[in-house]
Amino acid sequence: MDLQKKTKFIGLALGPTLFCLIYFLVSPGILQEKSITVLALGAWMVTWWATEAMPIPVSALLPMVILPLLGVTSAREATAPYGDPVIFLFMGGFILALGLEKHKL
């Protein structure tokens, strides 16, 4: 097993492990309960992003699943940032760039 595969495997396990450690071991006296959940989710996402254990879009979609499941926010509020007009502006620009690159313009 080469180093890149080992890193991905470790990152794949380390992300949820960090989430659980932070979620269950950080005292609610230090932070509010919802803040602890968001911090734990951030650690999970950063771990997957840094180790490239999962594709970045998968890591980016974790809040849409985890936050409503744990009662931090509603599904509507968790998905609202993904529908921001600026996101669609960037996405349109990237699609145009891919078309230009494909046709060598």
Side-chain angles (χ1 to χ4, degrees), residues 4 7-13 15-16 44-62:
Q4 186 178 12
T7 304
K8 285 184 177 187
F9 181 74
I10 291 170
L12 192 63
W44 184 353
M45 292 172 67
V46 166
T47 303
W48 276 8
W49 173 77
T51 61
E52 296 179 356
M54 294 295 279
I56 291 176
V58 173
S59 299
L61 295 176
L62 278 175

Side-chain angles (χ1 to χ4, degrees), residues 1-102:
M1 190 186 258
D2 66 335
L3 183 61
Q4 186 178 12
K5 286 184 180 180
K6 284 182 184 178
T7 304
K8 285 184 177 187
F9 181 74
I10 291 170
L12 192 63
L14 185 62
T17 303
L18 280 175
F19 175 86
C20 290
L21 286 173
I22 294 170
Y23 186 74
F24 292 114
L25 296 180
V26 173
S27 172
I30 297 171
L31 294 170
Q32 294 178 354
E33 191 173 323
K34 290 181 179 183
S35 300
I36 294 170
T37 305
V38 172
L39 177 67
L41 180 59
W44 184 353
M45 292 172 67
V46 166
T47 303
W48 276 8
W49 173 77
T51 61
E52 296 179 356
M54 294 295 279
I56 291 176
V58 173
S59 299
L61 295 176
L62 278 175
M64 288 177 50
V65 177
I66 302 296
L67 294 179
L69 267 176
L70 296 178
V72 174
T73 186
S74 68
R76 175 171 286 227
E77 290 173 341
T79 57
Y82 295 92
D84 190 275
V86 175
I87 298 298
F88 288 109
L89 175 69
F90 279 112
M91 189 169 31
F94 292 142
I95 290 170
L96 286 171
L98 284 172
L100 292 170
E101 182 180 357
K102 179 180 179 178

